[in-house]
Amino acid sequence: YKKVAFSLMPFFVTSYILNSKEEFDIIHCHFGQRGLYGAVLKDIGIKGKLVTSFYGGDLSSFVKQTGKEIYNPLFDKGDIFLPLSNGFKERLIKLNCPIGKIEVLPLGIDTTKFSLLKRRNKKAVTLLTIGRLVEKKGHKYAIEAVSKLVKKGRKIKYIIAGDGPLRKELEKLTKKLSLERNVDFIGSVNPDKVPELYKKSDIFVLPSHKSSQGDTEGTPMVLMEAQATGLPIVSTLHASIPEVVPDGKSGFLVKEKDVEKLSEKIDYLINNKKLREKMGRSGRKFILEKYDKDILMNRLHKIYLSLKAENNKVY
């Protein structure tokens, strides 16, 4: 069984397919928007089973901008649809995707790159957020929560890794709240340096929420990585996050934009080192069992095989 894997990209891949003499058993499109290109290929006579993976924005802001019927041609032509969470499965059903064509397939991480780390005893507890500085990540709510805790006398260092359009606005908020000594914007970080950030930290914070444009998270990879290193999580009841962070077991989840509850849960973990360690162990076990990339790749391979492709090539 020979596999040749590609992500369907518009324009140059479409041109390649049209000019190629090869035939493909499977066309796998990553993101719903690209799935629509796949449906067009089917319309013009390209053979092959059509698989589409959905990741978040393609089921939220894109649908809001284009209308709820945007994927009807894809649902008609496609053979199987792979949302990365049960929540996204429900969104597909609401958009009239045939339920029999849906199979949930989460994203996974290379768990061999992340080990259970021992945290050193420090005077200050270190919080960490990794993510682009955009609205849906909710950085401002974390900063406001830190402000409340600092006013209560908690010794906190909050590291914010990532860059984006909201950096100046967030730095301005930090200054307004007199948190220059507590909050450290370190900008974009090389992936090779990310494990070191997890090692330095005690609690991972990600207060994601639905943006004003309707954009939502998928299942943030950083939540999986952080748990794989044994970090307890404080995040939100948003999108697919409850599926990747078991509330009360590997962390705490609060309502979106709820600064009071966010600060309360962070404070509870600050004051309970043993609980942080217990949640860390639980989180790592959960990720190893549910989100290891090799396990999930084997599932994808079985899905390909189930389509009973006619040829020996997979596109």
Side-chain angles (χ1 to χ4, degrees), residues 204-273:
F204 192 87
V205 181
L206 190 69
S208 302
H209 65 92
K210 187 176 182 179
S211 77
S212 55
Q213 300 301 313
D215 194 15
T216 62
E217 295 277 21
T219 49
M221 303 290 283
V222 289
L223 291 178
M224 302 177 202
E225 294 176 356
Q227 288 178 93
T229 69
L231 276 177
I233 308 296
V234 179
S235 190
T236 51
L237 296 163
H238 167 76
S240 300
I241 290 176
E243 293 184 42
V244 76
V245 180
D247 189 17
K249 294 182 179 180
S250 65
F252 293 117
L253 303 179
V254 303
K255 291 181 180 179
E256 298 178 17
K257 305 180 183 181
D258 191 336
V259 175
E260 191 64 41
K261 285 294 183 182
L262 193 66
S263 64
E264 179 183 306
K265 294 302 184 183
I266 294 172
D267 198 27
Y268 189 70
L269 285 173
I270 288 174
N271 293 319
N272 289 274
K273 185 175 185 295

Side-chain angles (χ1 to χ4, degrees), residues 2 12 29 41 45 59 62 74 85 97 102-103 110-111 122 132 134 140 158 171 223-224 228 231-232 248 311:
K2 182 180 179 182
F12 71 88
C29 309
L41 291 177
L59 288 172
F62 180 69
L74 174 57
S85 70
C97 180
I102 303 173
E103 182 161 348
D110 184 352
T111 56
K122 300 170 293 184
R132 291 193 67 235
V134 294
K140 76 171 186 174
Y158 181 28
E171 289 177 333
L223 291 178
M224 302 177 202
L231 276 177
N311 301 317

Side-chain angles (χ1 to χ4, degrees), residues 22 34 89 120 139 168 181 236 265 270 293:
E22 292 189 90
R34 291 172 183 167
K89 176 182 178 179
R120 294 174 296 177
H139 293 89
K168 288 185 178 180
R181 293 184 179 181
T236 51
K265 294 302 184 183
I270 288 174
K293 73 174 183 65

Side-chain angles (χ1 to χ4, degrees), residues 277-289:
E277 293 172 348
K278 181 181 178 180
M279 285 187 157
R281 291 191 297 270
S282 176
R284 177 169 172 78
K285 183 175 183 292
F286 175 74
I287 295 302
L288 290 177
E289 292 175 351

Side-chain angles (χ1 to χ4, degrees), residues 40 48 53 82 186 213 243:
V40 171
S53 294
L82 306 176
I186 65 173
Q213 300 301 313
E243 293 184 42

